[in-house]
Every structure is written in structure tokens, then in C-alpha cells.
Amino acid sequence: MTQQPPWPSPRGNCRLIALMILALLAVLSMVTEVAALPFLFTRFRPQINWTQPRMERWVIEEQPRSIEPHLDLVNHPNRTHSAATSGDGSDAEFLQRLVSIRHNQTSKSRMLWYDVGSGDGLVYPPFVDKALKLLNLKQVAFEIENSVMSKVTCTACRAGSGMLQHQIQSGKTDAELIRMISDYCTNLNIQSARVCQGVAQLFGSELIYVIKRVNLSPDELCSFIIGDGCGDVYNPYHEWEVIFPPVPKPPRLADLPIPLEAAPFFKVLHISDTHYDPHYAEGSNADCNEPLCCRLSSGRPATPNAAAGKWGDYRKCDTPKRTVDHMLEHIAETHKDIDYILWTGDLPPHDVWNQTKEENLAIIKETVKQMVEKFPGIPIFPALGNHESAPVNSFPPPYVNQVDISISWLYDELDVQWRRWLPQSVTHTVRRGAFYSVLVRPGFRIISLNMNYCNNKNWWLLLNSTDPATELQWFIYELQSAEFSNEKVHVIGHIPPGHSDCLKVWSRNFYKIISRYESTITAQFYGHTHYDEFEMFYDPHDLNHPNSIAYIGPSVSPYYDLNPGYRVYYVDGDHDSTTRLVIDHESWIMNLKEANLYGYPIWYKLYTARAAYNMKALRPSDWNNLLNELTNNQELFELYYKYYWKNSPARPTCDAECKKRLICDCKSGRSHDRKHFCADVESKIDEESSKSWKSWFYRGLTNSYSLLSSITYLPKYLLGYR
């Protein structure tokens, strides 16, 4: 089994695609005449005929909104406090009380704003072998696999993208370029022949289409894709700002109130990253040389230990149907009082070289059917993952409307499937960009975002990254309307906005939105990483003021080295003093090793946040205090690390660099900006690590001297005596 690196890695197989494209194109650059290497001269920019995509007119204020409460209250017999604290409990009376006691005195009339004026068998020459060693493709693979980019990957990106631009200008056809990519991939043993061919066919056409239409230098392109690991290159094509309405921000509180004990609450299930594999085969090869194993096509296992388990496997394998079914049955039986479900995407498996639109749609329909059957009558609020599209990460904005490359095939079907749980008012935004807003209860709204418009592996954003699908501007409109109506909002999505997979410019704008509406947004929920973790948000002008918390739920898929898991949240419910904050949360897992060993899985509660970390509440300030304790308390950090890996027996040890990375991930709700948030944390850990090393060294000297002193027959001069 391959050793898992001792720091977090994103779990979408977008890494394979980026690796192969960068590595292969970098190699292509070396077998061409040295005189034809324009990418070595970064100030030279080739002339490309390119026109700004024509943006369609979409008026946010004209779209229907969800204004009727979508969730009916249910009196669960096992709850001792499930009724409203006063009045007859009707929605109308409850809403009227909320309006009468609201703390933020804002105008009762709706204000709309406009800013029309603001546009927003190959034989290589000897020098190729040397160049391959120089580029260090293994290092590139490791960095992309773990989203830890350095100058090595940056160099490969610049060489590959520059060479691709050169090959396009030299008149190579799309078919020739795709064939070259496939051949080099196979002959360099980067992947198996079928994976190389599949990736080249699936992704080559899209990448070539985009590169032909952009006017970016290799420096600008790679800085855009890789982020701060490739330098912070100013790129005027991809610098933009959202527009806020002319409404003053409500005064912020010194700290949020702690939710009342024994008050009504909602019990919320969070499922993420199922990655259901319909082709999983027990006993097949789990240790193959492809991105996804545990299938009949993976071949026979070389040893009994390499065989795929009955309920899943810690190696690069996704979730068998029996495991998904068993988990849903367990949840339905154990948590009979669930009020609603958050479902944050990534349904298809990681066979990214072999996917079709038809197969991905079939998986979406089958998993939706499973959820409907297991949880009848329970509202489900879904968010779109990066694996739902075919090819993976491909989400063209609305202005890309050609039939053969438009994303409408996916969004139209999502509207049909999601309509089982969502009101009709969301159809316009779901079909436009797979995002929506629903009023769940009086004074409480859920907004689901399509985080693929911040995905830096979504090549379409190279054409124009300016607020794709106008999603963030719509988000501001919904939040401002919620602020006027005294509603609290929960935000759900797939890719966490502070993750390295999220574009820096998109994340920066999102961070500003969270800060502006900190009194309205009371929690955020994401998936994607497959780990059990969280992200912090702070006032951009005052990093001592935490203003929001993003909960990142564990994956159902064990891909890879993980136990399957899910989360349960307890959210402040309907009462006069409700905060809509998360009161507490539980993480539940299944020990995959024991399930395969004994033939039957047992799901159990791994931990409860407040009890495990001794937190008095789960406000942003409480999570910030926990971060400080994790930095200073090694024993507490090791507990967090255990839960982060979902108590996996395959988890590696965590050294000082690993600890810095994990805590910085928690602290950085804004992507590609670790230097801004993590300097203090890193210096504290370095200092503590230095103290630990010195303590170990001196303790070792003392013990050695004591040992020598206890041996009486040694000559005195060896003991330092004269």
C-alpha cells in the first residue's frame, strides 16, 4: 500500500487530470526544437484572435424567490422540548414575534440596486532524459496529488502551457495534439494505456478549445491555475470585484449569544462525497496502478492482501452499493427524528478517464432514488459536487451555450431530480447555474452555491472568471433581502472556499461577502476534502474578530485510507431567542477494517464536538479559541488529528510541518493566502518544535550521563573526573 502523505490532500481526482496535462505537455516541450520555445521568454505574448464572450442579460431581481416556509414542524416524541416557547406555535405568529423583537433595526422596505455603468515506442534524444530529471515528474505528481504546489510544478505548468500555445500556433490539429498527449502518457508510463487514452480524449478537446481563445502568458495562466504556489502574478483579465448595495452594515456584536439550553432545535443530517461505484467488485485488485481500483477491470490481486474487501477498501477504491445501502438503513433506523438533510455532492466514482454523461446521470438518478426511499417526507437540500459533470470539473458558464459543450444536460436533469424536495421557485437558478435559495422556516433560509465556479480545475474559467453565472452577485442579492427580512442564513456547497482548489479571486470576493453579512450568515457547510474538519473566517480588517465558521463534513467514500462517515448537527430551532447557530455536532463512522474482518459493519458515534474539545458553544469565537488551543496543546491536537482522519488505522504520523498545514487549513477561509493568516501559528509551532527538540536532546544527554555513572567499573576519566 502506498504511504499516505502526512498532510491533507483534496479528494477529487482533478489531480490526475492536472498532473497528466502539465507533465505531458512539459515533456512535449522538450522534444521540440529549442529555437521554438517562446514560453522561455515570458515577456513575449503571442497574438491570438480572441473576443470577449458575449454575456447574456440575466436580471437577478426579476427571478422568483422562495418566500413561503418549506419545512413543516414535526413533533418528535423522543424530544422533551419540541414546542415553541410561547404563543400557539403558528408560523405567522412566530414570524410576527421575530419581527417585533429583532435587534437589527433596518428599513422595512426592500431596496434594489443597479450599477449598469460598471462592466463587470517513442525514442527521446539524450537531452530529454536530463530534462525529465530536471522537471522531476514524480515530484510534480506528489504535489498535485496533495495540492501542495512548489516551483517544480510551476515550472512544469509554464513549460507545458507555453508549448501547447506554440503547437496550436504552428498549425497542429486537435486530433494530432490529442494523439500526442496519449502517446507520451503511455510511453512515459505515467498511467496505463487505457487511462492515458481516456484522459486525452475526454479532456484534450476542452483544454485545446479554451487555450485557443485566451490571451494569457504561461506565467499568468499558471498563476491563475496553481495560485500562490506559482507566484502572485498580476492578471488584469482575472481581476474583478463584486458590487455591494448602498446599505450600511449592521453594527457587529462583541460576541454572539450562546444558544439557550433546552430550547427547540433541528436535527440535521449531513452526507457528502458518496462516490458510489456501481462496478465495485469484492475480491478484485485493490492495489492497481490506476486512479481507481477494486473493479473487475483492475485485474486479479497479486496477493490475498491485495484483494478488495466486502464493504470497501482503504486503498484507491470508492464505495460499494451494499455499504451505501447499509449506511442509509442505519441512519433511518438510528436517527428517526431527522428534520432535514444537507447533501453536499460528489456522487459518481473516481474513474475520471472512463466517464460518460449518460453514466453520471444514471448514478445521480439512482442515488436520488435511494435517498427518497430511505427518507420519505424529509426535505433534502442538495449541492453540486465537482464529480457530477463528465468530464470531471467541466462546468462551462451560461455564455458557453453550444449544444455539444453546454452544461445544460446536467443542470436540467438536476432541476428535475431536486424538485422532489425543493419548491418550484428555484428552477430558474438551478437551470442557470445549479444554485438556489429556499426559505426553510420563518426567519431561516438555506442558500446552496455551485462551488464549481470557483474550481481552478474548471478550465472554462480561463475564458472569463468574472463572477461566472452571476452567482456571487445573486448571492449578495439574496443575503441583502434576507437582512431586510431579518432572516438568518445557512450556506451549503461542495468545495470549501478556503481550499486550494478554489480560485483566489473568487475566494477573495466570497470572503468579503461573508464579512459584510456576518450578522445574517450563521453557518456554512461543505464537503470535498473527505476529512472531518472546519474553516474559519475573520474580519478582513481585524483578524482578531472571527465572524463565521464553515463545517467540512466527512466523506462516505473511504477513498483513500479513510473510514466512511457522516455528520449530524443540532441547530437552534424555532423560538423567540433563536440564533440559528449550530448547537453541537456529532461525527459517525464505520470501522472499515473490522467490517471486512468480521463480515458486518457497525456504525458508531466517533465524537461530539463540544464534549470532545471542551467547548461551551460552537460560535466562531469558540472555534477560534479551539484553534489557539490546538496550536499550544499537543495532546488536544493529536485528538483532533485522530478525528480528522475519522480514526483510520491507516493514518500516518503527523510532524510539525503536518501540524502547521492542518491548523493553517482551519484558519484560512480565503484560499491561496496562507501567509496572511498563518504566520503567527507557524512561528508558534516552530518555536514549540524547537523547544521539544532541545528538551529531547538535553534529556538524552542527562540519561546517558546517569547510565554511565551507574557503571562503577568504568575508568574515572571517562566520567569526566581527573
Side-chain angles (χ1 to χ4, degrees), residues 332-558:
E333 181 64 28
T334 306
H335 307 285
K336 296 181 178 180
D337 56 342
I338 292 173
D339 290 296
Y340 61 88
I341 299 171
L342 305 179
W343 196 20
T344 52
D346 265 13
L347 312 182
H350 288 86
D351 59 336
V352 296
W353 74 94
N354 192 38
Q355 291 179 334
T356 64
K357 296 176 181 177
E358 293 75 20
E359 184 170 359
N360 278 18
L361 288 179
I363 289 175
I364 291 172
K365 293 175 183 177
E366 184 171 352
T367 50
V368 166
K369 182 182 177 183
Q370 279 181 307
M371 297 293 283
V372 170
E373 291 175 350
K374 299 299 182 183
F375 306 107
I378 298 178
I380 299 177
F381 299 98
L384 180 64
N386 63 302
H387 275 263
E388 273 75 310
S389 182
V392 66
N393 301 312
S394 177
F395 295 89
Y399 61 77
V400 182
N401 53 17
Q402 295 94 320
V403 175
D404 57 333
I405 54 179
S406 169
I407 196 65
S408 60
W409 66 270
L410 176 60
Y411 292 174
D412 290 353
E413 186 59 40
L414 288 180
D415 180 46
V416 173
Q417 298 299 323
W418 291 359
R419 191 77 64 78
R420 300 167 186 260
W421 308 297
L422 303 179
Q424 186 176 358
S425 60
V426 309
T427 188
H428 297 273
T429 55
V430 170
R431 288 179 178 261
R432 173 179 173 80
F435 49 85
Y436 61 86
S437 172
V438 173
L439 184 68
V440 181
R441 294 292 302 149
F444 178 43
R445 180 174 296 273
I446 287 178
I447 297 179
S448 177
L449 296 177
N450 182 356
M451 300 301 290
N452 292 294
Y453 291 136
C454 91
N455 186 352
N456 55 16
K457 308 303 185 299
N458 182 6
W459 304 104
W460 295 103
L461 301 185
L462 285 167
L463 292 174
N464 188 348
S465 67
T466 304
D467 193 11
T470 332
E471 180 181 32
L472 288 184
Q473 209 61 56
W474 166 87
F475 185 40
I476 291 174
Y477 176 80
E478 285 293 323
L479 290 172
Q480 188 59 63
S481 299
E483 183 179 278
F484 287 146
S485 302
N486 197 40
E487 296 170 356
K488 300 300 181 184
V489 171
H490 284 184
V491 178
I492 67 173
H494 181 65
I495 300 175
H499 194 275
S500 59
D501 284 348
C502 188
L503 283 176
K504 183 174 182 178
V505 63
W506 197 99
S507 180
R508 184 185 67 212
N509 278 281
F510 183 85
Y511 205 83
K512 292 179 180 177
I513 295 173
I514 297 299
S515 179
R516 165 58 184 85
Y517 295 100
E518 64 175 278
S519 62
T520 299
I521 299 170
T522 57
Q524 305 174 55
F525 306 88
Y526 304 97
H528 186 61
T529 71
H530 291 206
Y531 295 104
D532 190 301
E533 52 183 326
F534 64 95
E535 276 183 3
M536 289 297 304
F537 291 74
Y538 299 86
D539 187 320
H541 307 292
D542 180 10
L543 295 184
N544 292 318
H545 174 63
N547 57 23
S548 190
I549 173 70
Y551 298 95
I552 303 175
S555 64
V556 175
S557 173

Side-chain angles (χ1 to χ4, degrees), residues 5 17 42 62 123 164 175 184 191 270 403 425 498 518 551 581 625 645 650 709 714:
I17 311 313
T42 56
E62 295 178 358
V123 178
L164 179 58
Y184 277 102
Q191 279 293 338
H270 184 187
V403 175
S425 60
E518 64 175 278
Y551 298 95
L581 292 169
N625 292 337
W645 277 89
S709 299
L714 283 175

Side-chain angles (χ1 to χ4, degrees), residues 597-644:
L597 183 63
Y598 300 116
Y600 188 81
I602 296 177
W603 297 84
Y604 67 95
K605 181 165 59 177
L606 178 63
Y607 76 99
T608 302
R610 287 176 62 182
Y613 301 128
N614 194 26
M615 304 170 72
K616 62 180 180 180
L618 299 188
R619 302 166 299 177
S621 58
D622 299 303
W623 286 105
N624 186 59
N625 292 337
L626 175 63
L627 269 181
N628 294 330
E629 291 184 38
L630 291 176
T631 304
N632 301 319
N633 186 333
Q634 182 62 25
E635 184 177 352
L636 184 64
F637 173 78
E638 289 173 358
L639 182 66
Y640 171 78
Y641 186 67
K642 170 185 173 182
Y643 296 153
Y644 171 89

Side-chain angles (χ1 to χ4, degrees), residues 165-403:
Q165 290 176 336
H166 171 72
Q167 294 285 359
I168 290 172
Q169 286 188 320
S170 68
K172 296 284 186 183
T173 65
D174 291 4
E176 288 174 324
L177 290 170
I178 292 172
R179 187 167 57 252
M180 289 172 65
I181 291 174
S182 179
D183 289 344
Y184 277 102
C185 172
T186 303
N187 285 279
L188 287 172
N189 294 318
I190 294 177
Q191 279 293 338
S192 66
R194 65 171 185 156
V195 172
C196 290
Q197 184 177 5
V199 167
Q201 291 295 333
L202 271 175
F203 299 90
S205 301
E206 176 181 302
L207 178 62
I208 294 168
Y209 178 94
V210 171
I211 295 296
K212 281 182 176 180
R213 288 161 175 79
V214 298
N215 189 19
L216 300 175
S217 70
D219 281 351
E220 292 169 331
L221 193 148
C222 293
S223 179
F224 177 84
I225 295 172
I226 295 177
D228 55 1
C230 204
D232 191 10
V233 178
Y234 175 71
N235 186 343
Y237 287 90
H238 297 283
E239 287 294 333
W240 49 274
E241 303 286 343
V242 292
I243 303 169
F244 289 96
V247 180
K249 177 180 177 179
R252 79 183 193 195
L253 301 174
D255 201 355
L256 296 175
I258 295 177
L260 297 176
E261 296 290 342
F265 62 85
F266 295 129
K267 187 174 182 179
V268 182
L269 172 66
H270 184 187
I271 296 177
S272 193
D273 296 88
T274 311
H275 291 293
Y276 155 56
D277 186 0
H279 304 292
Y280 186 97
E282 179 186 357
S284 61
N285 186 13
D287 197 15
C288 70
N289 62 346
E290 293 183 339
L292 183 65
C293 306
C294 295
R295 294 174 155 197
L296 291 177
S297 59
S298 303
R300 292 179 178 273
T303 64
N305 187 50
K310 178 179 180 179
W311 298 96
D313 203 280
Y314 286 120
R315 287 158 287 197
K316 291 189 176 181
C317 305
D318 274 321
T319 319
K321 186 177 188 300
R322 63 163 59 96
T323 302
V324 177
D325 288 341
H326 192 276
M327 181 194 71
L328 296 180
E329 290 170 2
H330 148 77
I331 293 173
E333 181 64 28
T334 306
H335 307 285
K336 296 181 178 180
D337 56 342
I338 292 173
D339 290 296
Y340 61 88
I341 299 171
L342 305 179
W343 196 20
T344 52
D346 265 13
L347 312 182
H350 288 86
D351 59 336
V352 296
W353 74 94
N354 192 38
Q355 291 179 334
T356 64
K357 296 176 181 177
E358 293 75 20
E359 184 170 359
N360 278 18
L361 288 179
I363 289 175
I364 291 172
K365 293 175 183 177
E366 184 171 352
T367 50
V368 166
K369 182 182 177 183
Q370 279 181 307
M371 297 293 283
V372 170
E373 291 175 350
K374 299 299 182 183
F375 306 107
I378 298 178
I380 299 177
F381 299 98
L384 180 64
N386 63 302
H387 275 263
E388 273 75 310
S389 182
V392 66
N393 301 312
S394 177
F395 295 89
Y399 61 77
V400 182
N401 53 17
Q402 295 94 320
V403 175

Side-chain angles (χ1 to χ4, degrees), residues 578-685:
T578 183
T579 63
R580 303 298 185 187
L581 292 169
V582 173
I583 302 170
D584 206 349
H585 77 67
E586 305 167 348
S587 285
W588 291 66
I589 67 165
M590 177 255 282
N591 188 308
L592 187 56
K593 181 179 179 180
E594 293 182 356
N596 287 331
L597 183 63
Y598 300 116
Y600 188 81
I602 296 177
W603 297 84
Y604 67 95
K605 181 165 59 177
L606 178 63
Y607 76 99
T608 302
R610 287 176 62 182
Y613 301 128
N614 194 26
M615 304 170 72
K616 62 180 180 180
L618 299 188
R619 302 166 299 177
S621 58
D622 299 303
W623 286 105
N624 186 59
N625 292 337
L626 175 63
L627 269 181
N628 294 330
E629 291 184 38
L630 291 176
T631 304
N632 301 319
N633 186 333
Q634 182 62 25
E635 184 177 352
L636 184 64
F637 173 78
E638 289 173 358
L639 182 66
Y640 171 78
Y641 186 67
K642 170 185 173 182
Y643 296 153
Y644 171 89
W645 277 89
K646 294 182 282 184
N647 199 24
S648 169
R651 68 181 183 272
T653 56
C654 187
D655 59 13
E657 289 301 314
C658 160
K659 182 178 180 180
K660 285 192 291 186
R661 191 172 301 280
L662 261 65
I663 294 180
C664 282
D665 284 347
C666 294
K667 203 172 179 69
S668 306
R670 190 169 65 201
S671 68
H672 303 287
D673 208 359
R674 304 176 76 90
K675 294 179 182 178
H676 188 72
F677 294 101
C678 300
D680 290 344
V681 169
E682 291 180 343
S683 63
K684 287 181 181 179
I685 295 175

